Amino acid sequence: MLPICTPFLRGRLKKVIAIYPGSFDPPTNGHLDLIERGSKIFDELIVAILRNPEKAPLFGLDERKNMLEAMTEGLRNVCVDTFDGLMVDYALKVKANVVLRGIRAISDYEYELQMALMNRKLQPELETVFLMPAEQYSYLSSRLVQEVAQLGGSVAGLVPPLVEQRLREKLDPAIKLQPPIELKKRKK
Ligand code: PNS
């Protein structure tokens, strides 16, 4: 028989609503991996894109929202939103009790710890939960994807095909991404 610690609470436990905040410029397969993992753990997962007037992003807010919505179309408990100001204020507004963040390598830890503790100081009720993406995405970042794409390298397998397409549209005609392998073969 399965152990049940608090049988009287079963079925009426508090819903766990998580936000996954970030810049997502552009969203990568690492982000998607984390969203999929989060959607299995939390009742609701809100992917929250930061509107940061101080940064000039490659993709506008609406473009990033549109890409993330398409990427998460099949995940019924996931939605995409935008926010500005303090993340803890946004969390309060959407009644989230958890912040989801990814940790890829030990190098992420210091910054993430600082941010999690500052957020805890600001809003003690809000818990930060860290998840690790699949190993194949442990070196992946939006900044590197942007750089590789801008210099004409292939980002296939690092971002969803839709994002790859949007990158190509954004950077073409100045800089072209490498054509897909099938195209290269056909040209020979
Ligand atoms: O994808 P990123 O750029 O690593 O995400 C960073 C983000 C958006 C989570 C962080 O910069 C943030 O929460 N900004 C909102 C402003 C805020 O609350 N600042 C205090 C953080 S301790």
Side-chain angles (χ1 to χ4, degrees):
M1 211 167 82
L2 286 174
I4 299 176
C5 304
T6 48
F8 57 94
L9 281 180
R10 283 262 160 144
R12 47 191 186 98
L13 288 174
K14 183 164 107 178
K15 261 178 119 185
V16 183
I17 302 172
I19 60 172
Y20 178 30
S23 308
F24 307 104
D25 188 31
T28 68
N29 281 342
H31 292 130
L32 183 57
D33 180 272
L34 218 72
I35 293 169
E36 283 167 352
R37 287 172 200 278
S39 77
K40 288 182 198 148
I41 299 174
F42 308 115
D43 295 300
E44 273 179 46
L45 180 61
I46 305 166
V47 181
I49 314 166
L50 173 68
R51 181 185 302 138
N52 188 349
E54 273 150 43
K55 269 194 189 169
L58 179 64
F59 288 99
L61 208 58
D62 286 346
E63 291 176 301
R64 282 176 277 163
K65 187 164 186 273
N66 177 281
M67 286 187 276
L68 280 161
E69 277 170 349
M71 285 160 62
T72 57
E73 214 179 5
L75 302 169
R76 293 194 61 197
N77 61 342
V78 175
C79 66
V80 185
D81 195 11
T82 61
F83 77 104
D84 51 21
L86 279 179
M87 191 271 292
V88 291
D89 289 342
Y90 173 75
L92 215 60
K93 193 181 101 181
V94 296
K95 297 185 169 38
N97 28 31
V98 165
V99 179
L100 170 65
R101 291 286 290 172
I103 292 208
R104 294 161 297 188
I106 200 75
S107 48
D108 282 340
Y109 181 72
E110 219 167 313
Y111 169 62
E112 292 297 334
L113 178 73
Q114 249 187 328
M115 211 159 52
L117 293 180
M118 178 58 83
N119 285 330
R120 181 180 282 169
K121 171 96 181 79
L122 295 168
Q123 185 50 256
E125 296 296 301
L126 192 64
E127 285 299 343
T128 300
V129 170
F130 295 117
L131 290 180
M132 290 162 292
E135 307 88 271
Q136 70 260 36
Y137 304 129
S138 58
Y139 64 94
L140 188 54
S141 72
S142 297
R143 186 183 60 79
L144 278 183
V145 164
Q146 269 196 34
E147 192 172 317
V148 170
Q150 275 165 340
L151 294 172
S154 169
V155 292
L158 305 180
V159 295
L162 169 78
V163 177
E164 205 187 336
Q165 175 64 28
R166 294 285 155 82
L167 273 165
R168 203 176 284 126
E169 287 162 8
K170 174 94 31 197
L171 301 171
D172 212 37
I175 300 158
K176 280 197 167 57
L177 290 178
Q178 283 178 0
I181 293 161
E182 313 88 69
L183 260 176
K184 269 191 202 166
K185 275 187 196 152
R186 248 183 273 142
K187 273 185 184 170
K188 277 183 187 168

